[in-house]
Amino acid sequence: MRGFLAVTKALSDSNRVRALMALRGRELCVCQIVELLGLASSTVSKHMSLLEQARLVERRKNGRWVYYRRPQGKVHKEASEALRWLDESLARDRDVREDAKRIREVLKIPVEELCSVGGGK
Amino acid sequence: MRGFLAVTKALSDSNRVRALMALRGRELCVCQIVELLGLASSTVSKHMSLLEQARLVERRKNGRWVYYRRPQGKVHKEASEALRWLDESLARDRDVREDAKRIREVLKIPVEELCSVGGGK
DNA sequence: ACGTAAATTCGCCATATGGCGAAATGGGGT
DNA sequence: ACCCCATTTCGCCATATGGCGAATTTACGT
């Protein structure tokens, strides 16, 4: 029950859900998620660690940057079922689609540039 | 997205989840849910109306009593997928099992008696 | 019509949650 | 060794949430 509630609570905030949907099939750096959601990095950090505690994402550190991705390999069944449900429910969602478009733009900017100046500049 | 979040928020409280699991395969009167959860009836009422808004339960009025049940017939897909996931995740949950046992006891008491004196008396 | 009683609605309180900015942390690069 | 800078942690604030009890609503049964 605890684990299940951790998952449902993690999924009950729109910014966390958007982040999770943005992580479909790719990993993203924190600064990219900040760019996508338009929130302070401290807020994003809190969101992502909540998702991590619910086993919905994995953290990978690469130098100064931290990347988040959906769980790879030995996935907790609780989390994988939740992600499957999430995807089925929101694959065609309007907001999610718009985010997907924005993500493609954000990905064109090299990480160094995106982080360093703090935006699209 | 709104609908999805309504569902995840509804599922992110343990008392609501317990109520939903208690409604597997049967309908229950509000007073029976009060008895199961050990909460004030006003609190249970609030919980149930939140579940109803998320389309996870239906309300049926019968005389002075109000019964809740899982959606019948033309079920919103959003809700039915959520309920399937819920059941798969928690069918073997320890708390849910204990509730199931208690429910069987509560069901032995006629509704008139359960409501009228306010408990097992 | 009137009383009774189940359920809901209404205040109210305590705690949880989501947000920011400032300070702390930790990995390069020079 | 030192600085830089992405990320996290720490305070702090505003709002949301879950809980209760009191008041209101609604529908039977006299």
Side-chain angles (χ1 to χ4, degrees):
Chain A
M1 176 73 101
R2 283 187 71 80
F4 177 81
L5 287 173
V7 169
T8 53
K9 283 183 181 175
L11 293 179
S12 67
D13 173 84
S14 66
N15 286 316
R16 286 193 291 269
V17 168
R18 287 173 62 199
L20 269 180
M21 289 307 282
L23 290 172
R24 286 215 300 174
R26 59 174 148 255
E27 66 178 6
L28 291 174
C29 173
V30 171
C31 63
Q32 295 172 318
I33 303 172
V34 165
E35 176 68 14
L36 173 70
L37 300 180
L39 297 173
S41 58
S42 58
T43 305
V44 171
S45 181
K46 217 195 277 186
H47 280 317
M48 297 314 290
S49 90
L50 220 161
L51 287 172
E52 194 190 11
Q53 281 174 41
R55 312 264 189 183
L56 293 170
V57 300
E58 280 178 1
R59 223 177 91 105
R60 182 177 76 86
K61 207 162 187 180
N62 187 14
R64 281 183 298 202
W65 293 287
V66 171
Y67 288 86
Y68 285 95
R69 64 187 177 197
R70 291 190 176 198
Q72 315 284 313
K74 28 116 206 172
V75 183
H76 274 256
K77 203 190 169 207
E78 196 130 66
S80 67
E81 293 295 315
L83 288 167
R84 201 164 55 74
W85 173 57
L86 175 75
D87 290 339
E88 282 172 11
S89 302
L90 293 183
R92 311 198 156 274
D93 181 85
R94 199 175 141 278
D95 302 322
V96 169
R97 296 256 193 146
E98 282 178 17
D99 282 350
K101 208 157 46 168
R102 284 227 4 174
I103 288 275
R104 281 191 290 276
E105 294 307 312
V106 171
L107 284 174
K108 287 179 184 166
I109 310 167
V111 190
E112 294 81 358
E113 194 183 327
L114 179 64
C115 289
S116 59
V117 198
K121 192 191 142 214
Chain B
M1 177 72 101
R2 282 188 71 82
F4 178 81
L5 287 174
V7 170
T8 52
K9 284 183 182 177
L11 293 180
S12 66
D13 173 83
S14 66
N15 286 316
R16 286 192 292 268
V17 167
R18 288 173 62 199
L20 270 180
M21 290 306 284
L23 290 173
R24 287 214 298 172
R26 59 174 148 256
E27 66 178 6
L28 291 174
C29 172
V30 171
C31 64
Q32 295 171 318
I33 303 173
V34 166
E35 175 70 12
L36 174 70
L37 299 179
L39 296 172
S41 60
S42 59
T43 304
V44 170
S45 181
K46 216 194 278 184
H47 281 315
M48 298 314 291
S49 91
L50 220 162
L51 287 172
E52 193 190 11
Q53 281 174 39
R55 312 262 189 184
L56 293 170
V57 300
E58 280 177 2
R59 222 177 91 104
R60 182 177 76 84
K61 206 161 187 181
N62 186 13
R64 282 184 297 206
W65 294 287
V66 172
Y67 289 85
Y68 285 96
R69 62 186 178 198
R70 292 189 175 197
Q72 316 283 314
K74 29 116 205 171
V75 183
H76 273 257
K77 205 192 167 205
E78 196 130 64
S80 69
E81 294 293 315
L83 288 168
R84 204 165 52 76
W85 172 57
L86 175 75
D87 289 339
E88 282 172 11
S89 301
L90 293 183
R92 311 197 155 274
D93 180 85
R94 198 174 141 277
D95 301 323
V96 170
R97 297 256 192 142
E98 282 178 16
D99 282 350
K101 208 158 43 169
R102 283 230 2 175
I103 289 274
R104 280 190 291 276
E105 293 307 312
V106 171
L107 284 174
K108 287 178 185 167
I109 311 166
V111 190
E112 293 81 0
E113 194 182 330
L114 181 65
C115 289
S116 59
V117 198
K121 192 196 143 208

